[in-house]
Amino acid sequence: MTTPANYRKGSTWLQTVPVDFNHPLSGADRADERISEVEELKVLHPGVWEISYHARSYTGGAGELVRTALFKNGQLIPGTEALTGGAVMQTTAGQTILEKFDVNDVITLHAYRIGGGNTAVLSNGDGRTGVMAHWVSPGF
């Protein structure tokens, strides 16, 4: 089925810009915090969007994990969670899902730590963190 042109109001792609940062996860165990260095994406028109993200995380020891996820209007989008860690390591993990959005819905990246110690979400030329969205259909 071809989508009528009048449903394509605005860009069909949204993407955060590459940034360099180190965001230490300093909140309580399993307490989500927004990764503020990654800009929020605001949905320009309603429908089904393919949402994808990748997050480079750091864990400093065997008992430490980092969970990342996307949120819509401040609420977890189920199925976007990714867990990394369990050793001294840096990894880039992420998820891709389809989700229905309304105009002006806001997508943000969040993370929390499991275990004490040194954990972070990072981004630089050696491994990027970012969020992308692609409009798929009007979702009727």
Coordinates of all heavy atoms in Angstrom, one line a residue, residues 19-25 35 37-38 54-59 66 68 89-93 109 111 118-130:
V19 N 27.8 13.0 19.7 CA 28.4 13.8 20.7 C 29.4 13.0 21.5 O 29.3 11.8 21.5 CB 27.3 14.4 21.7 CG1 26.5 15.4 21.0 CG2 26.5 13.3 22.3
D20 N 30.4 13.7 22.1 CA 31.4 13.0 22.9 C 31.0 13.3 24.4 O 30.8 14.5 24.7 CB 32.8 13.6 22.7 CG 33.3 13.2 21.3 OD1 32.7 12.3 20.6 OD2 34.3 13.8 20.9
F21 N 30.9 12.3 25.2 CA 30.5 12.5 26.6 C 30.9 11.3 27.4 O 31.1 10.2 26.9 CB 29.1 12.9 26.8 CG 28.1 11.7 26.5 CD1 27.7 10.8 27.4 CD2 27.5 11.6 25.2 CE1 26.9 9.8 27.1 CE2 26.6 10.6 24.9 CZ 26.3 9.7 25.9
N22 N 30.9 11.5 28.7 CA 31.1 10.4 29.7 C 30.0 10.7 30.8 O 30.2 11.7 31.5 CB 32.5 10.4 30.3 CG 32.6 9.3 31.4 OD1 31.7 8.7 31.8 ND2 33.9 9.1 31.8
H23 N 29.0 9.9 30.9 CA 27.9 10.1 31.8 C 28.0 9.0 32.9 O 27.5 7.9 32.7 CB 26.5 10.0 31.1 CG 25.4 10.3 32.0 ND1 24.6 11.5 31.9 CD2 24.8 9.6 33.1 CE1 23.7 11.4 32.9 NE2 23.8 10.3 33.5
P24 N 28.7 9.3 34.1 CA 28.7 8.4 35.2 C 27.3 8.1 35.7 O 26.5 9.0 35.9 CB 29.6 9.0 36.2 CG 30.3 10.2 35.5 CD 29.4 10.6 34.4
L25 N 27.0 6.8 35.9 CA 25.7 6.4 36.5 C 25.9 6.5 38.0 O 26.5 5.5 38.6 CB 25.3 5.1 36.0 CG 25.0 5.0 34.5 CD1 24.8 3.6 34.1 CD2 23.9 5.9 34.1
I35 N 19.9 10.0 30.2 CA 21.3 10.4 29.7 C 21.1 11.7 28.9 O 20.8 11.7 27.7 CB 21.8 9.2 28.7 CG1 21.7 7.9 29.4 CG2 23.2 9.5 28.3 CD1 22.5 7.8 30.8
E37 N 23.0 14.0 27.9 CA 23.9 14.4 26.8 C 23.3 14.0 25.4 O 23.7 14.5 24.4 CB 25.3 13.8 26.9 CG 26.0 14.3 28.2 CD 25.7 13.5 29.4 OE1 24.8 12.6 29.4 OE2 26.3 13.8 30.5
V38 N 22.4 13.0 25.4 CA 21.8 12.5 24.1 C 20.5 13.3 24.0 O 19.6 13.2 24.9 CB 21.5 11.0 24.2 CG1 20.8 10.6 22.9 CG2 22.8 10.2 24.3
H54 N 21.6 2.7 20.2 CA 22.8 2.0 20.6 C 23.4 2.8 21.8 O 23.4 4.1 21.7 CB 23.8 1.8 19.5 CG 24.0 3.0 18.6 ND1 23.1 3.4 17.6 CD2 24.9 4.0 18.7 CE1 23.6 4.5 17.1 NE2 24.6 4.9 17.8
A55 N 23.9 2.2 22.8 CA 24.5 2.8 23.9 C 25.8 2.1 24.3 O 25.8 0.9 24.6 CB 23.5 2.8 25.1
R56 N 26.9 2.9 24.4 CA 28.2 2.4 24.8 C 28.2 2.5 26.3 O 28.1 3.6 26.9 CB 29.3 3.1 24.1 CG 30.7 2.7 24.6 CD 31.7 3.6 23.9 NE 33.0 3.4 24.5 CZ 34.0 4.3 24.4 NH1 33.8 5.4 23.8 NH2 35.1 4.1 25.0
S57 N 28.4 1.4 27.0 CA 28.4 1.4 28.4 C 29.8 0.9 29.0 O 30.5 0.2 28.3 CB 27.3 0.5 29.0 OG 27.5 -0.8 28.7
Y58 N 30.1 1.3 30.2 CA 31.3 0.9 30.9 C 30.9 0.3 32.2 O 30.1 0.9 32.9 CB 32.2 2.1 31.1 CG 33.4 1.7 32.0 CD1 34.5 1.0 31.6 CD2 33.3 2.1 33.4 CE1 35.5 0.7 32.5 CE2 34.3 1.8 34.2 CZ 35.4 1.1 33.8 OH 36.4 0.7 34.6
T59 N 31.5 -0.8 32.5 CA 31.3 -1.4 33.9 C 32.7 -1.7 34.4 O 33.6 -2.2 33.7 CB 30.5 -2.7 33.9 OG1 31.0 -3.6 32.9 CG2 29.1 -2.4 33.5
V66 N 25.0 -2.5 33.5 CA 24.4 -1.3 33.0 C 23.2 -1.7 32.2 O 23.3 -2.5 31.2 CB 25.3 -0.4 32.2 CG1 24.5 0.8 31.6 CG2 26.4 0.1 33.1
T68 N 20.2 -0.1 29.8 CA 19.8 1.0 29.0 C 18.4 0.8 28.4 O 18.0 -0.4 28.3 CB 20.8 1.4 27.9 OG1 21.0 0.2 27.0 CG2 22.1 1.8 28.4
M89 N 34.6 -3.9 31.5 CA 34.4 -3.9 30.0 C 33.7 -2.7 29.5 O 33.0 -2.0 30.3 CB 33.6 -5.2 29.6 CG 32.2 -5.2 30.1 SD 31.1 -6.6 29.7 CE 31.9 -7.6 28.6
Q90 N 33.8 -2.4 28.2 CA 33.0 -1.5 27.5 C 32.4 -2.2 26.3 O 33.0 -2.9 25.6 CB 33.9 -0.3 27.0 CG 34.5 0.5 28.1 CD 35.2 1.7 27.5 OE1 34.8 2.3 26.6 NE2 36.3 2.1 28.2
T91 N 31.1 -2.0 26.2 CA 30.3 -2.6 25.1 C 29.3 -1.7 24.6 O 28.9 -0.7 25.2 CB 29.6 -3.9 25.6 OG1 28.7 -3.5 26.7 CG2 30.5 -5.0 26.1
T92 N 28.9 -1.9 23.3 CA 27.8 -1.1 22.7 C 26.7 -2.0 22.4 O 26.8 -3.0 21.7 CB 28.3 -0.4 21.4 OG1 29.4 0.4 21.8 CG2 27.2 0.5 20.9
A93 N 25.5 -1.8 23.1 CA 24.4 -2.6 23.0 C 23.2 -1.7 22.6 O 23.3 -0.5 22.7 CB 24.1 -3.4 24.2
L109 N 16.7 8.6 26.1 CA 17.5 7.5 26.5 C 17.8 7.6 28.0 O 18.1 8.6 28.5 CB 18.9 7.5 25.7 CG 19.8 6.4 26.1 CD1 19.3 5.0 25.7 CD2 21.2 6.7 25.4
A111 N 19.3 5.1 31.6 CA 20.1 4.0 32.0 C 20.1 3.9 33.5 O 19.8 4.9 34.2 CB 21.5 4.1 31.5
N118 N 31.9 1.7 39.6 CA 32.1 2.6 38.6 C 31.4 2.1 37.3 O 31.8 1.2 36.7 CB 33.6 2.7 38.3 CG 34.0 3.8 37.3 OD1 33.2 4.6 37.0 ND2 35.2 3.8 36.9
T119 N 30.3 2.8 36.9 CA 29.6 2.5 35.7 C 29.3 3.8 35.0 O 29.2 4.8 35.6 CB 28.3 1.7 36.0 OG1 27.5 2.5 36.9 CG2 28.5 0.4 36.6
A120 N 29.1 3.7 33.7 CA 28.9 4.9 32.9 C 28.3 4.6 31.5 O 28.4 3.4 31.1 CB 30.2 5.7 32.7
V121 N 27.7 5.6 30.9 CA 27.3 5.5 29.5 C 28.2 6.5 28.8 O 28.4 7.7 29.3 CB 25.8 5.8 29.2 CG1 25.5 5.9 27.7 CG2 25.0 4.8 29.9
L122 N 28.9 6.1 27.7 CA 29.9 6.9 27.0 C 29.6 7.1 25.6 O 28.7 6.4 25.0 CB 31.3 6.2 27.1 CG 31.7 5.6 28.4 CD1 32.8 4.6 28.2 CD2 32.2 6.7 29.3
S123 N 30.2 8.1 24.9 CA 30.2 8.2 23.5 C 31.4 9.0 23.0 O 31.7 10.1 23.6 CB 28.9 9.0 23.1 OG 28.7 9.1 21.7
N124 N 32.0 8.5 22.0 CA 33.1 9.2 21.3 C 33.4 8.5 20.0 O 32.7 7.5 19.7 CB 34.4 9.4 22.2 CG 35.0 8.1 22.6 OD1 35.0 7.1 21.9 ND2 35.7 8.1 23.7
G125 N 34.5 8.8 19.4 CA 34.8 8.2 18.1 C 35.1 6.8 18.1 O 35.1 6.1 17.1
D126 N 35.4 6.2 19.3 CA 35.6 4.8 19.4 C 34.4 4.0 19.6 O 34.4 2.7 19.6 CB 36.6 4.5 20.6 CG 38.0 5.1 20.4 OD1 38.4 5.1 19.2 OD2 38.6 5.6 21.3
G127 N 33.2 4.6 19.9 CA 32.0 3.9 20.1 C 30.9 5.0 20.4 O 31.0 5.7 21.4
R128 N 29.9 5.0 19.6 CA 28.9 6.1 19.8 C 27.7 5.6 20.5 O 27.3 4.4 20.5 CB 28.5 6.6 18.4 CG 29.5 7.3 17.6 CD 29.8 8.7 18.2 NE 30.8 9.4 17.5 CZ 31.3 10.5 17.9 NH1 31.0 11.0 19.0 NH2 32.2 11.1 17.2
T129 N 27.0 6.6 21.1 CA 25.7 6.4 21.7 C 24.7 7.3 21.0 O 25.0 8.5 20.8 CB 25.7 6.7 23.2 OG1 26.6 5.8 23.9 CG2 24.3 6.7 23.8
G130 N 23.6 6.7 20.6 CA 22.6 7.6 19.8 C 21.2 6.9 19.7 O 21.1 5.7 20.0

